[in-house]
Amino acid sequence: MNGTARIDVSREQVLRYRVAAHGFDRASPTPGVLALGVQDTPHGSAPVALAARGASSGGLERVWSFRGAPHLHRRTELAALAGALWPLDDADATARISTSAIKEGAKLGLAAFRVTAEAFRRTVVEPLGKGEVSTAVSAAVPESLTFWCTPCGARHISGLLFQQAGLFGSVRVGAERGKTVLSPLGSPFPVPEAAGTQDLVRAYLRFLGPATRAEVAAFLGTRPTAIRPVWPEGLVEVSVDGASAWLPESEVEALRGAPRADAGTVRLLPPGDPFLQARDRSLLLPEKDRQKELWRAIGGPGAVLAGSEIVGTWRARASGRRVEVTVTGFDALSASVRRALETEAQTVAEVRGAKETLLRVE
């Protein structure tokens, strides 16, 4: 950090800045936010997030990355990403896999990640179902990293460790007939060492900032103390309606000069969209009841972004050759937003390979 004086901005300015940073103007086929990947939960949602930015999934690979969730990342950047996600030390590693299921095993720290990554490499030499891989990896790691599953009558490796170690094992995540299939990456790389985590922190601050250390740590799936050694220099303290956060100094002018987003510019963001990954949810959507509706633990809807504000939720359902898109506004939606929804619903349908679209606005 440096001696630059703290700057004061409003919530609206931050949202305008993030909208511009995320490339919702569709000015580039390769939006910079790919530095954080695009979460693909549920499966098939990531291409919709890319389409909201005028991009496609060409040249991207599906892997388990941040917090063990499936993401699309640039194929050419996977080795560097693995180094950036590798835990910084034993305490960091333990924090990332600390669950009651493997309370003792989590204390192995970095060794838990290394042995699991090596087991992946020995097992996944051809496409295999996730269950088959899990069985083999579970048998290859220390018992303390597994738990007893009564319904299966067998021991399973902790899912949190299993999925976070997948990238370190140089494994891609695909799907066949509704089932998860794991296969070796086309360009494998060695089990990594920690390198480049600071760049990930800076990327979060660039696209989802201004943000606090706690918010960045939550995105990485660890504790704030773990990322203290890689907290970047060259940051500026920003007061957002009185709350302190941090932004790269290089982004200050973009924050101050972020253009006002046209409320008639609408984007349908799927669950897990990078814009929705910000940990300051109260800034994105101040109303608690609306937060609960949008960020459901299971089966959450997508968000309707109009200008720089989330104005409702949406869901899509396939029905034969048609995709039905149902939009529920938090308040009455303007005529310009309704008109824009027709086009955006068609975009969703095209990404999902449908021939027809039916839009319902509630």
Side-chain angles (χ1 to χ4, degrees):
M1 303 174 197
N2 56 36
T4 302
R6 187 181 74 172
I7 63 173
D8 295 287
V9 297
S10 66
R11 169 182 174 272
E12 181 186 1
Q13 281 179 282
V14 172
L15 292 179
R16 285 159 49 185
Y17 165 78
R18 291 184 188 175
V19 165
H22 275 249
F24 289 124
D25 60 358
R26 293 173 173 162
S28 171
T30 56
V33 76
L34 279 169
L36 296 176
V38 181
Q39 187 167 329
D40 195 36
T41 309
H43 180 63
S45 62
V48 177
L50 290 166
R53 296 161 172 81
S56 71
S57 55
L60 305 183
E61 194 75 83
R62 190 172 187 259
V63 297
W64 287 322
S65 60
F66 295 98
R67 307 169 306 284
H71 284 69
L72 293 186
H73 290 276
R74 294 187 182 99
R75 192 171 291 122
T76 57
E77 298 176 356
L78 292 179
L81 176 67
L85 285 177
W86 185 260
L88 298 167
D89 53 28
D90 285 325
D92 184 17
T94 295
R96 297 192 193 202
I97 58 174
S98 183
T99 66
S100 58
I102 57 165
K103 185 176 181 180
E104 291 303 314
K107 296 177 182 178
L108 293 175
L110 289 170
F113 280 88
R114 187 168 291 108
V115 71
T116 306
E118 291 170 346
F120 265 114
R121 291 166 185 271
R122 293 192 299 270
T123 301
V124 185
V125 295
E126 61 182 0
L128 294 172
K130 178 184 175 183
E132 187 176 354
V133 175
S134 176
T135 298
V137 171
S138 298
V141 301
E143 187 173 289
S144 62
L145 296 176
T146 68
F147 64 95
W148 179 256
C149 176
T150 301
C152 296
R155 298 196 70 84
H156 296 311
I157 186 170
S158 160
L160 189 59
L161 171 59
F162 182 70
Q163 295 194 192
Q164 287 191 78
L167 176 61
F168 306 143
S170 200
V171 167
R172 70 179 297 274
V173 182
E176 291 182 11
R177 298 177 182 177
K179 295 185 178 180
T180 300
V181 175
L182 307 180
S183 57
L185 289 170
S187 299
F189 46 81
V191 175
E193 296 291 336
T197 309
Q198 190 173 81
D199 293 335
L200 279 187
V201 173
R202 187 174 291 277
Y204 183 96
L205 294 173
R206 177 186 172 194
F207 293 103
L208 296 173
T212 65
R213 184 179 295 153
E215 288 161 357
V216 177
F219 179 77
L220 294 175
T222 189
R223 298 191 180 108
T225 53
I227 63 171
R228 184 174 295 156
V230 293
W231 192 247
E233 293 293 329
L235 302 182
V236 172
E237 186 176 6
V238 179
S239 175
V240 185
D241 290 338
S244 290
W246 299 93
L247 187 76
E249 186 174 12
S250 59
E251 300 300 313
V252 169
E253 289 309 309
L255 173 61
R256 284 174 165 159
R260 186 178 301 277
D262 183 353
T265 300
V266 174
R267 299 291 182 261
L268 294 179
L269 311 184
D273 186 277
F275 189 79
L276 304 178
Q277 291 294 331
R279 270 23 191 189
D280 52 355
R281 292 177 174 177
S282 292
L283 185 141
L284 290 178
L285 201 55
E287 298 83 358
K288 294 293 183 182
D289 57 335
R290 294 176 179 178
Q291 290 178 31
K292 292 178 181 178
E293 172 61 25
L294 181 59
W295 286 288
R296 293 186 181 185
I298 299 175
V304 180
L305 181 69
S308 57
E309 293 286 349
I310 296 173
V311 298
T313 63
W314 69 278
R315 294 181 182 275
R317 182 174 68 90
S319 179
R321 293 159 51 89
R322 183 173 66 183
V323 165
E324 297 181 3
V325 176
T326 301
V327 171
T328 303
F330 292 139
D331 296 305
L333 300 178
S334 68
S336 62
V337 168
R338 286 172 173 265
R339 287 193 298 271
L341 283 170
E342 293 284 352
T343 300
E344 296 308 305
Q346 182 62 40
T347 297
V348 170
E350 290 173 357
V351 171
R352 296 183 55 157
K355 301 296 184 181
E356 302 174 15
T357 312
L358 175 61
L359 173 66
R360 302 181 189 276
V361 180
E362 299 177 341

